[in-house]
């Protein structure tokens, strides 16, 4: 379970300081499917990065399964990320010099996991991209690239999948198919938290968190 208490994030100091998060308190249950919506610059990505341990808060508390993540050292934060978090980005963030297969295999190599082939092939199959596994990302469609990024996110079996505008670079139909993938992931027991501009996407989740100017509005 995720619990935030009065979480704040400032970028910069003094006159040029931006208060990106101004006191966010919320609880997200394990295994839930949550979307975060809000206008551009409202603090969505900042919040997701802190949840994923990719950035740290300025103030407040972040608990994950009862552990105080906001007190972690950088080393502890890195361990926390590796064990618990996978990220999917709007622009896919694949390594274009490697094949689809190699991209999906990478988190397993980073975690020193052996017998990788079956794990990789199973997720490629699950995402419907087995046939293109030997191609480089730039040789396949945007939807297929995002499927690859999702395969890479779930192959290491992290309990939490975070996605920042995962359909933002895709047309409506392809985006909707990508959301089907997130729904499947949620059904398999994972916690899914995704940012979206698209209310149609948000409405398919179990819960919508609205953020405006660094605060939750309801
Ligand atoms: P969103 O994802 O909702 O568009 P962000 O979390 O990216 O919003 O940004 C929230 C606010 O923080 C914005 O005013 C943005 O300009 C600012 N911001 C985000 N990242 C940085 C950064 N690395 N340095 C300085 N300001 C930043
Ligand atoms: Mg953003």
């Amino acid at each position: 379970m995720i619990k935030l208490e009065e979480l704040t994030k400032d970028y910069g100091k003094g006159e040029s300081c931006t208060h990106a998060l101004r006191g966010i308190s919320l609880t997200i249950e394990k295994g839930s499917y949550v979307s975060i919506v809000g206008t551009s610059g409202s603090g969505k990505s900042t919040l997701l990065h802190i949840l994923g341990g990719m950035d740290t808060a300025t103030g407040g508390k972040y608990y994950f399964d009862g552990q105080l993540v906001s007190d972690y050292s950088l080393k502890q934060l890195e361990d926390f990320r590796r064990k618990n978090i996978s990220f999917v980005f709007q622009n896919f963030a694949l390594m274009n010099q490697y094949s689809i297969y190699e991209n999906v295999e990478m988190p397993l190599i980073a975690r020193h996991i052996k017998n990788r082939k079956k794990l990789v092939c199973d997720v490629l199959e699950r995402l419907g991209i087995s046939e293109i596994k030997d191609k480089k990302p730039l040789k396949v469609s945007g939807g297929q690239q995002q499927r690859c990024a999702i395969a890479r996110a779930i192959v290491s079996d992290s309990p939490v999948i975070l996605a920042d505008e995962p359909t933002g670079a895709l047309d409506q139909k392809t985006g909707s198919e990508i959301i089907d993938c997130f729904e499947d992931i949620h059904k398999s027991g994972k916690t899914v938290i995704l940012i979206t501009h698209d209310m149609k996407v948000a409405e398919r989740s179990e819960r919508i968190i609205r953020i405006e100017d660094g605060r939750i509005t309801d």
Side-chain angles (χ1 to χ4, degrees), residues 151-186:
R152 181 182 58 181
I154 64 174
V155 74
S156 54
D157 211 25
S158 320
V160 179
I161 313 293
L162 303 177
D164 196 344
E165 304 262 10
T167 63
L170 305 172
D171 63 72
Q172 190 102 37
K173 178 168 174 290
T174 310
S176 171
E177 289 163 3
I178 289 300
I179 296 305
D180 293 341
C181 299
F182 283 104
E183 259 175 34
D184 287 343
I185 294 168
H186 166 238

PDB file of all heavy atoms in Angstrom, residues 151-186:
ATOM      1  N   ALA A 151       5.835  -4.557 -22.119  1.00  0.00           N
ATOM      2  CA  ALA A 151       6.434  -5.884 -21.894  1.00  0.00           C
ATOM      3  C   ALA A 151       7.680  -5.745 -21.027  1.00  0.00           C
ATOM      4  O   ALA A 151       7.893  -6.506 -20.074  1.00  0.00           O
ATOM      5  CB  ALA A 151       6.783  -6.532 -23.233  1.00  0.00           C
ATOM      6  N   ARG A 152       8.491  -4.752 -21.332  1.00  0.00           N
ATOM      7  CA  ARG A 152       9.701  -4.506 -20.546  1.00  0.00           C
ATOM      8  C   ARG A 152       9.351  -4.146 -19.102  1.00  0.00           C
ATOM      9  O   ARG A 152      10.058  -4.530 -18.168  1.00  0.00           O
ATOM     10  CB  ARG A 152      10.501  -3.360 -21.197  1.00  0.00           C
ATOM     11  CG  ARG A 152      11.797  -3.038 -20.483  1.00  0.00           C
ATOM     12  CD  ARG A 152      12.512  -1.867 -21.134  1.00  0.00           C
ATOM     13  NE  ARG A 152      11.671  -0.670 -21.153  1.00  0.00           N
ATOM     14  CZ  ARG A 152      12.033   0.491 -21.666  1.00  0.00           C
ATOM     15  NH1 ARG A 152      13.218   0.619 -22.230  1.00  0.00           N
ATOM     16  NH2 ARG A 152      11.223   1.525 -21.635  1.00  0.00           N
ATOM     17  N   ALA A 153       8.241  -3.431 -18.925  1.00  0.00           N
ATOM     18  CA  ALA A 153       7.845  -3.035 -17.571  1.00  0.00           C
ATOM     19  C   ALA A 153       7.331  -4.213 -16.745  1.00  0.00           C
ATOM     20  O   ALA A 153       7.513  -4.245 -15.538  1.00  0.00           O
ATOM     21  CB  ALA A 153       6.772  -1.938 -17.637  1.00  0.00           C
ATOM     22  N   ILE A 154       6.687  -5.176 -17.399  1.00  0.00           N
ATOM     23  CA  ILE A 154       6.086  -6.256 -16.592  1.00  0.00           C
ATOM     24  C   ILE A 154       6.962  -7.501 -16.499  1.00  0.00           C
ATOM     25  O   ILE A 154       6.712  -8.356 -15.660  1.00  0.00           O
ATOM     26  CB  ILE A 154       4.668  -6.642 -17.083  1.00  0.00           C
ATOM     27  CG1 ILE A 154       4.700  -7.225 -18.495  1.00  0.00           C
ATOM     28  CG2 ILE A 154       3.734  -5.449 -16.982  1.00  0.00           C
ATOM     29  CD1 ILE A 154       3.334  -7.757 -18.941  1.00  0.00           C
ATOM     30  N   VAL A 155       8.006  -7.579 -17.317  1.00  0.00           N
ATOM     31  CA  VAL A 155       8.792  -8.820 -17.358  1.00  0.00           C
ATOM     32  C   VAL A 155       9.457  -9.126 -16.014  1.00  0.00           C
ATOM     33  O   VAL A 155       9.615 -10.289 -15.642  1.00  0.00           O
ATOM     34  CB  VAL A 155       9.826  -8.787 -18.517  1.00  0.00           C
ATOM     35  CG1 VAL A 155      10.988  -7.857 -18.209  1.00  0.00           C
ATOM     36  CG2 VAL A 155      10.327 -10.182 -18.849  1.00  0.00           C
ATOM     37  N   SER A 156       9.819  -8.083 -15.277  1.00  0.00           N
ATOM     38  CA  SER A 156      10.506  -8.301 -14.002  1.00  0.00           C
ATOM     39  C   SER A 156       9.530  -8.484 -12.837  1.00  0.00           C
ATOM     40  O   SER A 156       9.939  -8.616 -11.689  1.00  0.00           O
ATOM     41  CB  SER A 156      11.458  -7.142 -13.717  1.00  0.00           C
ATOM     42  OG  SER A 156      10.754  -5.917 -13.793  1.00  0.00           O
ATOM     43  N   ASP A 157       8.224  -8.482 -13.156  1.00  0.00           N
ATOM     44  CA  ASP A 157       7.205  -8.821 -12.161  1.00  0.00           C
ATOM     45  C   ASP A 157       7.131  -7.842 -10.992  1.00  0.00           C
ATOM     46  O   ASP A 157       6.806  -8.241  -9.864  1.00  0.00           O
ATOM     47  CB  ASP A 157       7.470 -10.249 -11.649  1.00  0.00           C
ATOM     48  CG  ASP A 157       6.167 -10.947 -11.264  1.00  0.00           C
ATOM     49  OD1 ASP A 157       5.113 -10.570 -11.797  1.00  0.00           O
ATOM     50  OD2 ASP A 157       6.217 -11.850 -10.415  1.00  0.00           O
ATOM     51  N   SER A 158       7.432  -6.563 -11.211  1.00  0.00           N
ATOM     52  CA  SER A 158       7.313  -5.562 -10.141  1.00  0.00           C
ATOM     53  C   SER A 158       5.850  -5.436  -9.729  1.00  0.00           C
ATOM     54  O   SER A 158       4.968  -5.511 -10.588  1.00  0.00           O
ATOM     55  CB  SER A 158       7.755  -4.177 -10.611  1.00  0.00           C
ATOM     56  OG  SER A 158       8.863  -4.247 -11.419  1.00  0.00           O
ATOM     57  N   PRO A 159       5.596  -5.191  -8.462  1.00  0.00           N
ATOM     58  CA  PRO A 159       4.198  -5.065  -8.032  1.00  0.00           C
ATOM     59  C   PRO A 159       3.508  -3.779  -8.493  1.00  0.00           C
ATOM     60  O   PRO A 159       2.292  -3.729  -8.554  1.00  0.00           O
ATOM     61  CB  PRO A 159       4.287  -5.114  -6.504  1.00  0.00           C
ATOM     62  CG  PRO A 159       5.690  -4.742  -6.170  1.00  0.00           C
ATOM     63  CD  PRO A 159       6.534  -5.179  -7.325  1.00  0.00           C
ATOM     64  N   VAL A 160       4.293  -2.745  -8.817  1.00  0.00           N
ATOM     65  CA  VAL A 160       3.691  -1.456  -9.176  1.00  0.00           C
ATOM     66  C   VAL A 160       4.146  -1.019 -10.571  1.00  0.00           C
ATOM     67  O   VAL A 160       5.343  -0.975 -10.853  1.00  0.00           O
ATOM     68  CB  VAL A 160       4.080  -0.353  -8.158  1.00  0.00           C
ATOM     69  CG1 VAL A 160       3.464   0.987  -8.553  1.00  0.00           C
ATOM     70  CG2 VAL A 160       3.654  -0.745  -6.753  1.00  0.00           C
ATOM     71  N   ILE A 161       3.172  -0.714 -11.432  1.00  0.00           N
ATOM     72  CA  ILE A 161       3.460  -0.218 -12.778  1.00  0.00           C
ATOM     73  C   ILE A 161       2.998   1.235 -12.849  1.00  0.00           C
ATOM     74  O   ILE A 161       1.822   1.529 -12.631  1.00  0.00           O
ATOM     75  CB  ILE A 161       2.696  -1.028 -13.861  1.00  0.00           C
ATOM     76  CG1 ILE A 161       2.817  -2.537 -13.646  1.00  0.00           C
ATOM     77  CG2 ILE A 161       3.145  -0.617 -15.266  1.00  0.00           C
ATOM     78  CD1 ILE A 161       4.174  -3.116 -13.825  1.00  0.00           C
ATOM     79  N   LEU A 162       3.933   2.134 -13.156  1.00  0.00           N
ATOM     80  CA  LEU A 162       3.616   3.550 -13.278  1.00  0.00           C
ATOM     81  C   LEU A 162       3.720   3.934 -14.747  1.00  0.00           C
ATOM     82  O   LEU A 162       4.648   3.494 -15.437  1.00  0.00           O
ATOM     83  CB  LEU A 162       4.612   4.385 -12.466  1.00  0.00           C
ATOM     84  CG  LEU A 162       4.722   4.054 -10.974  1.00  0.00           C
ATOM     85  CD1 LEU A 162       5.799   4.911 -10.323  1.00  0.00           C
ATOM     86  CD2 LEU A 162       3.382   4.244 -10.280  1.00  0.00           C
ATOM     87  N   ALA A 163       2.795   4.752 -15.224  1.00  0.00           N
ATOM     88  CA  ALA A 163       2.832   5.139 -16.632  1.00  0.00           C
ATOM     89  C   ALA A 163       2.498   6.619 -16.769  1.00  0.00           C
ATOM     90  O   ALA A 163       1.484   7.084 -16.253  1.00  0.00           O
ATOM     91  CB  ALA A 163       1.847   4.291 -17.432  1.00  0.00           C
ATOM     92  N   ASP A 164       3.377   7.362 -17.439  1.00  0.00           N
ATOM     93  CA  ASP A 164       3.186   8.800 -17.641  1.00  0.00           C
ATOM     94  C   ASP A 164       2.691   9.048 -19.058  1.00  0.00           C
ATOM     95  O   ASP A 164       3.461   8.960 -20.011  1.00  0.00           O
ATOM     96  CB  ASP A 164       4.501   9.546 -17.380  1.00  0.00           C
ATOM     97  CG  ASP A 164       4.286  11.044 -17.180  1.00  0.00           C
ATOM     98  OD1 ASP A 164       3.195  11.550 -17.534  1.00  0.00           O
ATOM     99  OD2 ASP A 164       5.211  11.712 -16.675  1.00  0.00           O
ATOM    100  N   GLU A 165       1.417   9.342 -19.200  1.00  0.00           N
ATOM    101  CA  GLU A 165       0.775   9.581 -20.510  1.00  0.00           C
ATOM    102  C   GLU A 165       1.115   8.481 -21.516  1.00  0.00           C
ATOM    103  O   GLU A 165       1.585   8.776 -22.625  1.00  0.00           O
ATOM    104  CB  GLU A 165       1.237  10.932 -21.090  1.00  0.00           C
ATOM    105  CG  GLU A 165       0.986  12.103 -20.160  1.00  0.00           C
ATOM    106  CD  GLU A 165      -0.280  12.858 -20.482  1.00  0.00           C
ATOM    107  OE1 GLU A 165      -1.074  12.379 -21.294  1.00  0.00           O
ATOM    108  OE2 GLU A 165      -0.480  13.930 -19.887  1.00  0.00           O
ATOM    109  N   PRO A 166       0.849   7.227 -21.187  1.00  0.00           N
ATOM    110  CA  PRO A 166       1.286   6.128 -22.063  1.00  0.00           C
ATOM    111  C   PRO A 166       0.590   6.108 -23.415  1.00  0.00           C
ATOM    112  O   PRO A 166       1.082   5.470 -24.343  1.00  0.00           O
ATOM    113  CB  PRO A 166       0.939   4.869 -21.260  1.00  0.00           C
ATOM    114  CG  PRO A 166      -0.184   5.286 -20.371  1.00  0.00           C
ATOM    115  CD  PRO A 166       0.115   6.716 -20.007  1.00  0.00           C
ATOM    116  N   THR A 167      -0.541   6.824 -23.542  1.00  0.00           N
ATOM    117  CA  THR A 167      -1.238   6.840 -24.829  1.00  0.00           C
ATOM    118  C   THR A 167      -1.084   8.189 -25.528  1.00  0.00           C
ATOM    119  O   THR A 167      -1.657   8.407 -26.588  1.00  0.00           O
ATOM    120  CB  THR A 167      -2.748   6.543 -24.653  1.00  0.00           C
ATOM    121  OG1 THR A 167      -3.330   7.594 -23.863  1.00  0.00           O
ATOM    122  CG2 THR A 167      -2.978   5.225 -23.936  1.00  0.00           C
ATOM    123  N   GLY A 168      -0.292   9.073 -24.929  1.00  0.00           N
ATOM    124  CA  GLY A 168      -0.178  10.444 -25.433  1.00  0.00           C
ATOM    125  C   GLY A 168       0.362  10.568 -26.838  1.00  0.00           C
ATOM    126  O   GLY A 168       0.059  11.527 -27.532  1.00  0.00           O
ATOM    127  N   ALA A 169       1.176   9.595 -27.260  1.00  0.00           N
ATOM    128  CA  ALA A 169       1.782   9.676 -28.590  1.00  0.00           C
ATOM    129  C   ALA A 169       1.067   8.768 -29.594  1.00  0.00           C
ATOM    130  O   ALA A 169       1.569   8.541 -30.692  1.00  0.00           O
ATOM    131  CB  ALA A 169       3.259   9.288 -28.504  1.00  0.00           C
ATOM    132  N   LEU A 170      -0.111   8.262 -29.203  1.00  0.00           N
ATOM    133  CA  LEU A 170      -0.788   7.272 -30.046  1.00  0.00           C
ATOM    134  C   LEU A 170      -2.158   7.773 -30.491  1.00  0.00           C
ATOM    135  O   LEU A 170      -2.779   8.584 -29.809  1.00  0.00           O
ATOM    136  CB  LEU A 170      -0.963   5.963 -29.260  1.00  0.00           C
ATOM    137  CG  LEU A 170       0.329   5.369 -28.681  1.00  0.00           C
ATOM    138  CD1 LEU A 170       0.004   4.198 -27.757  1.00  0.00           C
ATOM    139  CD2 LEU A 170       1.271   4.927 -29.789  1.00  0.00           C
ATOM    140  N   ASP A 171      -2.630   7.268 -31.631  1.00  0.00           N
ATOM    141  CA  ASP A 171      -3.990   7.626 -32.053  1.00  0.00           C
ATOM    142  C   ASP A 171      -4.991   6.941 -31.112  1.00  0.00           C
ATOM    143  O   ASP A 171      -4.632   6.044 -30.350  1.00  0.00           O
ATOM    144  CB  ASP A 171      -4.219   7.220 -33.510  1.00  0.00           C
ATOM    145  CG  ASP A 171      -4.125   5.721 -33.710  1.00  0.00           C
ATOM    146  OD1 ASP A 171      -5.057   5.003 -33.264  1.00  0.00           O
ATOM    147  OD2 ASP A 171      -3.131   5.256 -34.277  1.00  0.00           O
ATOM    148  N   GLN A 172      -6.244   7.376 -31.199  1.00  0.00           N
ATOM    149  CA  GLN A 172      -7.295   6.931 -30.270  1.00  0.00           C
ATOM    150  C   GLN A 172      -7.421   5.400 -30.184  1.00  0.00           C
ATOM    151  O   GLN A 172      -7.431   4.824 -29.104  1.00  0.00           O
ATOM    152  CB  GLN A 172      -8.629   7.517 -30.738  1.00  0.00           C
ATOM    153  CG  GLN A 172      -9.756   7.333 -29.744  1.00  0.00           C
ATOM    154  CD  GLN A 172     -10.007   8.623 -28.979  1.00  0.00           C
ATOM    155  OE1 GLN A 172      -9.905   9.706 -29.538  1.00  0.00           O
ATOM    156  NE2 GLN A 172     -10.332   8.502 -27.708  1.00  0.00           N
ATOM    157  N   LYS A 173      -7.500   4.768 -31.342  1.00  0.00           N
ATOM    158  CA  LYS A 173      -7.735   3.316 -31.379  1.00  0.00           C
ATOM    159  C   LYS A 173      -6.550   2.565 -30.784  1.00  0.00           C
ATOM    160  O   LYS A 173      -6.724   1.677 -29.945  1.00  0.00           O
ATOM    161  CB  LYS A 173      -7.988   2.883 -32.827  1.00  0.00           C
ATOM    162  CG  LYS A 173      -8.189   1.392 -32.987  1.00  0.00           C
ATOM    163  CD  LYS A 173      -8.725   1.044 -34.373  1.00  0.00           C
ATOM    164  CE  LYS A 173      -8.791  -0.452 -34.589  1.00  0.00           C
ATOM    165  NZ  LYS A 173      -7.442  -1.057 -34.696  1.00  0.00           N
ATOM    166  N   THR A 174      -5.348   2.968 -31.193  1.00  0.00           N
ATOM    167  CA  THR A 174      -4.150   2.309 -30.675  1.00  0.00           C
ATOM    168  C   THR A 174      -4.028   2.548 -29.176  1.00  0.00           C
ATOM    169  O   THR A 174      -3.700   1.644 -28.404  1.00  0.00           O
ATOM    170  CB  THR A 174      -2.892   2.845 -31.396  1.00  0.00           C
ATOM    171  OG1 THR A 174      -3.132   2.786 -32.799  1.00  0.00           O
ATOM    172  CG2 THR A 174      -1.665   2.034 -31.056  1.00  0.00           C
ATOM    173  N   GLY A 175      -4.330   3.789 -28.765  1.00  0.00           N
ATOM    174  CA  GLY A 175      -4.288   4.139 -27.343  1.00  0.00           C
ATOM    175  C   GLY A 175      -5.232   3.257 -26.539  1.00  0.00           C
ATOM    176  O   GLY A 175      -4.886   2.760 -25.464  1.00  0.00           O
ATOM    177  N   SER A 176      -6.420   3.054 -27.081  1.00  0.00           N
ATOM    178  CA  SER A 176      -7.414   2.236 -26.387  1.00  0.00           C
ATOM    179  C   SER A 176      -6.923   0.789 -26.244  1.00  0.00           C
ATOM    180  O   SER A 176      -7.142   0.143 -25.211  1.00  0.00           O
ATOM    181  CB  SER A 176      -8.723   2.320 -27.167  1.00  0.00           C
ATOM    182  OG  SER A 176      -9.634   1.410 -26.653  1.00  0.00           O
ATOM    183  N   GLU A 177      -6.234   0.305 -27.265  1.00  0.00           N
ATOM    184  CA  GLU A 177      -5.674  -1.061 -27.186  1.00  0.00           C
ATOM    185  C   GLU A 177      -4.571  -1.147 -26.126  1.00  0.00           C
ATOM    186  O   GLU A 177      -4.424  -2.157 -25.440  1.00  0.00           O
ATOM    187  CB  GLU A 177      -5.116  -1.484 -28.559  1.00  0.00           C
ATOM    188  CG  GLU A 177      -6.219  -1.751 -29.574  1.00  0.00           C
ATOM    189  CD  GLU A 177      -5.721  -1.765 -31.017  1.00  0.00           C
ATOM    190  OE1 GLU A 177      -4.495  -1.626 -31.247  1.00  0.00           O
ATOM    191  OE2 GLU A 177      -6.569  -1.899 -31.920  1.00  0.00           O
ATOM    192  N   ILE A 178      -3.818  -0.050 -26.002  1.00  0.00           N
ATOM    193  CA  ILE A 178      -2.769  -0.012 -24.971  1.00  0.00           C
ATOM    194  C   ILE A 178      -3.402  -0.021 -23.579  1.00  0.00           C
ATOM    195  O   ILE A 178      -2.919  -0.686 -22.659  1.00  0.00           O
ATOM    196  CB  ILE A 178      -1.857   1.222 -25.185  1.00  0.00           C
ATOM    197  CG1 ILE A 178      -0.983   1.026 -26.432  1.00  0.00           C
ATOM    198  CG2 ILE A 178      -0.998   1.509 -23.961  1.00  0.00           C
ATOM    199  CD1 ILE A 178      -0.055  -0.175 -26.418  1.00  0.00           C
ATOM    200  N   ILE A 179      -4.525   0.692 -23.448  1.00  0.00           N
ATOM    201  CA  ILE A 179      -5.217   0.685 -22.149  1.00  0.00           C
ATOM    202  C   ILE A 179      -5.754  -0.717 -21.836  1.00  0.00           C
ATOM    203  O   ILE A 179      -5.759  -1.137 -20.681  1.00  0.00           O
ATOM    204  CB  ILE A 179      -6.324   1.765 -22.106  1.00  0.00           C
ATOM    205  CG1 ILE A 179      -5.682   3.164 -22.235  1.00  0.00           C
ATOM    206  CG2 ILE A 179      -7.137   1.694 -20.813  1.00  0.00           C
ATOM    207  CD1 ILE A 179      -4.598   3.478 -21.207  1.00  0.00           C
ATOM    208  N   ASP A 180      -6.172  -1.453 -22.874  1.00  0.00           N
ATOM    209  CA  ASP A 180      -6.552  -2.865 -22.656  1.00  0.00           C
ATOM    210  C   ASP A 180      -5.395  -3.616 -21.988  1.00  0.00           C
ATOM    211  O   ASP A 180      -5.618  -4.439 -21.095  1.00  0.00           O
ATOM    212  CB  ASP A 180      -6.868  -3.572 -23.984  1.00  0.00           C
ATOM    213  CG  ASP A 180      -8.132  -3.028 -24.657  1.00  0.00           C
ATOM    214  OD1 ASP A 180      -8.944  -2.379 -23.963  1.00  0.00           O
ATOM    215  OD2 ASP A 180      -8.292  -3.268 -25.869  1.00  0.00           O
ATOM    216  N   CYS A 181      -4.180  -3.337 -22.437  1.00  0.00           N
ATOM    217  CA  CYS A 181      -2.998  -4.009 -21.863  1.00  0.00           C
ATOM    218  C   CYS A 181      -2.856  -3.667 -20.377  1.00  0.00           C
ATOM    219  O   CYS A 181      -2.594  -4.552 -19.552  1.00  0.00           O
ATOM    220  CB  CYS A 181      -1.711  -3.603 -22.577  1.00  0.00           C
ATOM    221  SG  CYS A 181      -1.667  -4.012 -24.321  1.00  0.00           S
ATOM    222  N   PHE A 182      -3.041  -2.386 -20.039  1.00  0.00           N
ATOM    223  CA  PHE A 182      -2.938  -1.998 -18.625  1.00  0.00           C
ATOM    224  C   PHE A 182      -4.038  -2.662 -17.793  1.00  0.00           C
ATOM    225  O   PHE A 182      -3.816  -3.041 -16.649  1.00  0.00           O
ATOM    226  CB  PHE A 182      -2.982  -0.467 -18.466  1.00  0.00           C
ATOM    227  CG  PHE A 182      -1.679   0.187 -18.828  1.00  0.00           C
ATOM    228  CD1 PHE A 182      -1.517   0.854 -20.022  1.00  0.00           C
ATOM    229  CD2 PHE A 182      -0.591   0.112 -17.961  1.00  0.00           C
ATOM    230  CE1 PHE A 182      -0.308   1.447 -20.356  1.00  0.00           C
ATOM    231  CE2 PHE A 182       0.620   0.696 -18.281  1.00  0.00           C
ATOM    232  CZ  PHE A 182       0.770   1.358 -19.483  1.00  0.00           C
ATOM    233  N   GLU A 183      -5.215  -2.793 -18.395  1.00  0.00           N
ATOM    234  CA  GLU A 183      -6.304  -3.474 -17.680  1.00  0.00           C
ATOM    235  C   GLU A 183      -5.947  -4.920 -17.384  1.00  0.00           C
ATOM    236  O   GLU A 183      -6.204  -5.421 -16.287  1.00  0.00           O
ATOM    237  CB  GLU A 183      -7.584  -3.413 -18.523  1.00  0.00           C
ATOM    238  CG  GLU A 183      -8.518  -2.327 -18.025  1.00  0.00           C
ATOM    239  CD  GLU A 183      -9.732  -2.166 -18.918  1.00  0.00           C
ATOM    240  OE1 GLU A 183     -10.227  -3.169 -19.490  1.00  0.00           O
ATOM    241  OE2 GLU A 183     -10.167  -1.019 -19.048  1.00  0.00           O
ATOM    242  N   ASP A 184      -5.351  -5.581 -18.362  1.00  0.00           N
ATOM    243  CA  ASP A 184      -4.906  -6.974 -18.150  1.00  0.00           C
ATOM    244  C   ASP A 184      -3.873  -7.051 -17.035  1.00  0.00           C
ATOM    245  O   ASP A 184      -3.910  -7.956 -16.202  1.00  0.00           O
ATOM    246  CB  ASP A 184      -4.275  -7.544 -19.438  1.00  0.00           C
ATOM    247  CG  ASP A 184      -5.328  -7.843 -20.490  1.00  0.00           C
ATOM    248  OD1 ASP A 184      -6.519  -7.921 -20.124  1.00  0.00           O
ATOM    249  OD2 ASP A 184      -4.952  -7.980 -21.665  1.00  0.00           O
ATOM    250  N   ILE A 185      -2.959  -6.090 -17.035  1.00  0.00           N
ATOM    251  CA  ILE A 185      -1.913  -6.069 -16.003  1.00  0.00           C
ATOM    252  C   ILE A 185      -2.552  -5.895 -14.627  1.00  0.00           C
ATOM    253  O   ILE A 185      -2.214  -6.589 -13.670  1.00  0.00           O
ATOM    254  CB  ILE A 185      -0.905  -4.933 -16.287  1.00  0.00           C
ATOM    255  CG1 ILE A 185      -0.137  -5.226 -17.576  1.00  0.00           C
ATOM    256  CG2 ILE A 185       0.055  -4.752 -15.113  1.00  0.00           C
ATOM    257  CD1 ILE A 185       0.662  -4.045 -18.086  1.00  0.00           C
ATOM    258  N   HIS A 186      -3.498  -4.975 -14.557  1.00  0.00           N
ATOM    259  CA  HIS A 186      -4.213  -4.768 -13.290  1.00  0.00           C
ATOM    260  C   HIS A 186      -4.922  -6.050 -12.853  1.00  0.00           C
ATOM    261  O   HIS A 186      -4.839  -6.459 -11.695  1.00  0.00           O
ATOM    262  CB  HIS A 186      -5.213  -3.621 -13.453  1.00  0.00           C
ATOM    263  CG  HIS A 186      -6.203  -3.546 -12.351  1.00  0.00           C
ATOM    264  ND1 HIS A 186      -7.558  -3.618 -12.550  1.00  0.00           N
ATOM    265  CD2 HIS A 186      -6.022  -3.463 -11.018  1.00  0.00           C
ATOM    266  CE1 HIS A 186      -8.163  -3.560 -11.377  1.00  0.00           C
ATOM    267  NE2 HIS A 186      -7.266  -3.465 -10.439  1.00  0.00           N
TER     268      HIS A 186
END
